[in-house]
């Protein structure tokens, strides 16, 4: 019997892996969807039936009731009791995670890869009772590039997720390797504090921060008195050509302001912040930025 004839369930908040399942001729017997997610909007627009996840207990009960061979997770923000759900059954649980495991476990590996200058990618792995910790079936690495922004890396990771699922399916979900954690592996889940720009930090730490959070839902930011200013664009220039114009300004002072852009003098460089959001009328040339 072909694995394609097995019964599959899909759960999560992203559509990409589910789309690849359909491309492979797999029609899940049930789809469990995170409410108000990208997956839900895609399912509604395509007229595909699904069940909205009410809570963790509800999902565990539904999985205990259903008859299936394979549970496929992509973007499911719930830690399931896998041992309990598998007990006495032949059910198998796999997850597709947007990082090159075991590095960057956690909810937000894509911005984490940019924030810390790490390789990224996608991994299809068996689920166990831990977090992103099961045996690896297939994975793809996306080597770090300083030019990466979150919006681009998310799209690259989503494409990688589709490809690792296809490869895993084609090899009948055979285990390729165990996960062996290294001392430099990170766990990253977003915190609101990660958005706050500290102008006392190194230029390239700030650059990675802005690029890691350049998506619509987040955006790096700093405060001017009672106004929060958000930014999604940043560039660094050396002092050549600038010092004759702005040499009298001190570090972290705004030396130029136009449209939705400011130029800030640093210790030995100049940083251009673009796509500013907020009341920029409160930003003055000569103002010193701290946060």
């Amino acid at each position: 019997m072909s694995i394609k004839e097995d019964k599959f369930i899909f759960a999560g908040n992203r559509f990409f892996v589910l789309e690849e399942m359909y491309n492979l001729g797999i029609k899940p017997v049930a789809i469990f969807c995170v409410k108000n997610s990208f997956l839900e909007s895609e399912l509604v627009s395509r007229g595909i039936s699904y069940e909205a996840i009410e809570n963790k207990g509800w999902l565990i009960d539904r999985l205990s009731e259903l008859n299936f061979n394979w549970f496929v997770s992509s973007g499911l923000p719930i830690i399931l009791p896998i041992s309990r759900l598998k007990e006495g059954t032949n059910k198998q649980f796999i997850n597709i995670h947007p990082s090159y495991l075991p590095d960057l476990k956690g909810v937000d590996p894509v911005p984490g890869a940019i924030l810390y200058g790490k390789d990224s990618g996608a991994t299809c792995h068996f689920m166990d009772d831990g977090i992103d910790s099961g045996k690896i079936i297939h994975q793809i690495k996306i080597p770090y590039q300083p030019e990466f922004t979150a919006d681009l890396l998310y799209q690259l990771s989503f494409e990688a997720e589709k490809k690792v699922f296809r490869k895993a399916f084609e090899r009948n979900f055979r285990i390729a390797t165990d996960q062996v954690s290294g001392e430099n592996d990170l766990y990253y889940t977003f915190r609101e504090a990660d958005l706050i720009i500290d102008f006392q930090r190194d230029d390239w730490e700030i650059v990675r921060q802005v690029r890691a959070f350049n998506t619509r839902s987040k955006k790096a930011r700093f405060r001017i008195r009672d106004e929060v200013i958000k930014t999604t664009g940043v560039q660094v220039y050396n002092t050549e050509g600038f010092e004759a114009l702005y040499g009298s300004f001190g570090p972290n002072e705004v030396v130029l302001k136009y449209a939705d852009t400011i130029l800030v003098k640093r210790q030995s460089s100049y940083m251009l912040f673009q796509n500013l959001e907020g009341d920029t009328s409160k930003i003055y040339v000569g103002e010193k930025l701290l946060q």
Side-chain angles (χ1 to χ4, degrees), residues 96-114:
I96 294 82
H97 183 74
S99 85
Y100 196 76
L101 291 175
D103 202 8
L104 289 168
K105 297 178 181 180
V107 178
D108 300 292
V110 170
I114 298 173

Side-chain angles (χ1 to χ4, degrees), residues 97-104 119-123 139-142:
H97 183 74
S99 85
Y100 196 76
L101 291 175
D103 202 8
L104 289 168
D119 294 336
S120 52
T123 302
Q139 58 186 166
I140 292 173
K141 179 184 288 188
I142 302 174

Side-chain angles (χ1 to χ4, degrees), residues 8-253:
F8 284 78
I9 283 177
F10 180 84
N13 65 9
R14 300 193 289 276
F15 182 69
F16 308 99
V17 171
L18 178 59
E19 182 179 36
E20 195 67 12
M21 292 173 70
Y22 282 120
N23 291 340
L24 289 164
I26 303 168
K27 185 177 180 180
V29 297
I31 297 172
F32 298 112
C33 175
V34 175
K35 293 179 181 178
N36 303 315
S37 64
F38 172 73
L39 172 61
E40 185 170 42
S41 64
E42 284 293 313
L43 294 173
V44 170
S45 68
R46 295 166 189 256
I48 299 173
S49 299
Y50 69 92
E51 296 180 55
I53 298 170
E54 296 182 10
N55 53 54
K56 179 175 179 175
W58 177 91
L59 180 59
I60 291 171
D61 288 343
R62 291 291 289 126
L63 293 178
S64 299
E65 296 165 358
L66 289 169
N67 177 29
F68 62 91
N69 306 101
W70 299 96
F71 173 88
V72 179
S73 165
S74 178
L76 179 66
I78 294 173
I79 306 302
L80 294 171
I82 300 299
S83 297
R84 187 173 119 205
L85 289 168
K86 289 178 65 175
E87 188 175 7
T89 76
N90 292 320
K91 296 175 180 178
Q92 298 293 332
F93 294 75
I94 64 173
N95 180 52
I96 294 82
H97 183 74
S99 85
Y100 196 76
L101 291 175
D103 202 8
L104 289 168
K105 297 178 181 180
V107 178
D108 300 292
V110 170
I114 298 173
L115 199 60
Y116 293 100
K118 307 276 283 182
D119 294 336
S120 52
T123 302
C124 180
H125 66 97
F126 280 100
M127 299 170 69
D128 56 22
D129 293 327
I131 299 174
D132 305 323
S133 56
K135 296 179 184 296
I136 292 171
I137 303 167
H138 189 73
Q139 58 186 166
I140 292 173
K141 179 184 288 188
I142 302 174
Y144 172 72
Q145 296 187 44
E147 296 80 13
F148 276 154
T149 56
D151 56 352
L152 172 60
L153 190 53
Y154 269 118
Q155 298 306 314
L156 298 178
S157 298
F158 296 154
E159 287 298 313
E161 285 188 327
K162 291 162 62 174
K163 291 186 183 300
V164 295
F165 178 80
R166 175 177 284 271
K167 288 291 186 181
F169 176 78
E170 289 173 350
R171 52 185 286 119
N172 292 318
F173 301 116
R174 293 193 308 274
I175 294 168
T177 182
D178 291 340
Q179 286 199 47
V180 181
S181 297
E183 61 180 17
N184 295 321
D185 291 341
L186 291 179
Y187 178 97
Y188 181 71
T189 295
F190 165 75
R191 303 170 302 162
E192 285 291 332
D194 294 340
L195 298 177
I196 308 301
I197 298 173
D198 180 355
F199 288 95
Q200 305 305 313
R201 299 176 72 187
D202 174 81
D203 286 359
W204 293 104
E205 289 182 293
I206 295 174
V207 168
R208 288 198 299 268
Q209 183 180 17
V210 173
R211 291 176 178 171
F213 302 115
N214 79 325
T215 55
R216 188 187 323 174
S217 63
K218 292 189 170 64
K219 302 179 183 178
R221 60 201 63 187
F222 56 92
R223 184 177 292 277
I224 297 292
R225 289 170 291 283
D226 60 345
E227 185 69 19
V228 173
I229 305 295
K230 301 178 182 180
T231 179
T232 58
V234 63
Q235 296 181 58
V236 178
Y237 298 91
N238 61 36
T239 57
E240 185 178 356
F242 287 86
E243 283 297 283
L245 299 173
Y246 307 118
S248 61
F249 287 86
N252 297 324
E253 289 184 356

